[in-house]
Each structure stands twice: as C-alpha cells, then as structure tokens.
C-alpha cells in the first residue's frame, strides 16, 4: 500500500550536485506564507552536512541523512526540507540560483 510508505531522503550523490551553487535569495515557508530569509550566498556540502549561507551567515544546516533536496521544475532553484541543526526544528526552504549557467 502506498499510504504508509517511508519518506525517502535524498542520496549523497544527489546532494553533492548542489555543492557550490550560488544563491540569489532564499525563502522559507512559515504557516503557509513565504518569508525571505536572506540574499546573496551559496550552498555548501561538507562531510555529512549541508549548509545554506546567505549574507555571510549560516541560516540553515542539516545532516545529509535528514535532508530532502530537489531541483525546481523551472530549473532555477532548489527545494530543501530538513531538520535544522541550529534551531532544532524542521524547515522548508526554497533557494533560487543567481545564475542558471552554473
């Protein structure tokens, strides 16, 4: 039955394709509303963690084993869902790339 399937996480080889991507801005979904959390930064994959850095600050960090990442259908960004190590809560973030030719 498809009703009780375990939620699949993103594999390491798929997460590594996002390393070094430059981000123009990122939004977070809070109570059904989009809120801009920062501009001008990038995505970093180091060891077993994924970090989103915006305006020279780390705004999101998650272990690879707890993260779901996927490219937007438009191809101009990434959808990130995971447990934030900094705040200890689950977050849903969309980061938009600054340049499509990366």
């Amino acid at each position: 039955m498809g009703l009780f399937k375990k939620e699949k996480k993103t594999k390491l080889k798929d997460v590594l394709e996002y390393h070094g991507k430059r981000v123009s801005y990122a939004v977070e979904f809070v109570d059904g509303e989009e809120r801009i959390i920062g501009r001008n930064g990038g995505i970093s994959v180091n060891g077993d963690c994924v970090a989103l850095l915006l305006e020279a600050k780390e705004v999101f960090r998650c272990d690879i084993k707890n993260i779901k990442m996927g490219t937007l259908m438009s191809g101009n960004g990434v959808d990130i869902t995971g447990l934030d190590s900094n705040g200890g809560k689950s977050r849903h973030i969309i980061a938009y790339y600054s340049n499509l030719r990366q």
Side-chain angles (χ1 to χ4, degrees):
M1 297 215 112
L3 213 60
F4 300 105
K5 284 187 178 178
K6 184 178 177 183
E7 187 175 315
K8 295 181 181 178
K9 303 299 178 188
T10 308
K11 296 178 183 172
L12 175 62
K13 67 178 181 93
D14 295 331
V15 171
L16 288 174
E17 84 179 48
Y18 300 108
H19 178 69
K21 295 284 189 177
R22 291 177 293 181
V23 174
S24 175
Y25 69 100
V27 296
E28 179 177 14
F29 289 98
V30 178
D31 298 328
E33 294 182 19
E34 284 186 8
R35 184 178 60 184
I36 294 178
I37 57 174
R39 299 183 184 277
N40 300 326
I43 300 171
S44 176
V45 180
N46 293 321
D48 61 346
C49 290
V50 176
L52 177 62
L53 305 160
L54 298 170
E55 298 170 356
K57 296 177 186 170
E58 183 179 281
V59 295
F60 178 77
R61 177 179 287 273
C62 183
D63 290 332
I64 290 176
K65 62 184 176 185
N66 295 327
I67 199 163
K68 273 180 54 177
M69 296 178 80
T71 303
L72 299 178
M73 288 179 70
S74 62
N76 67 343
V78 61
D79 187 354
I80 305 169
T81 305
L83 185 66
D84 190 1
S85 300
N86 297 330
K89 63 179 183 174
S90 182
R91 295 177 74 184
H92 182 197
I93 297 172
I94 296 182
Y96 294 95
Y97 301 144
S98 61
N99 187 359
L100 291 176
R101 290 179 260 144
Q102 293 183 19

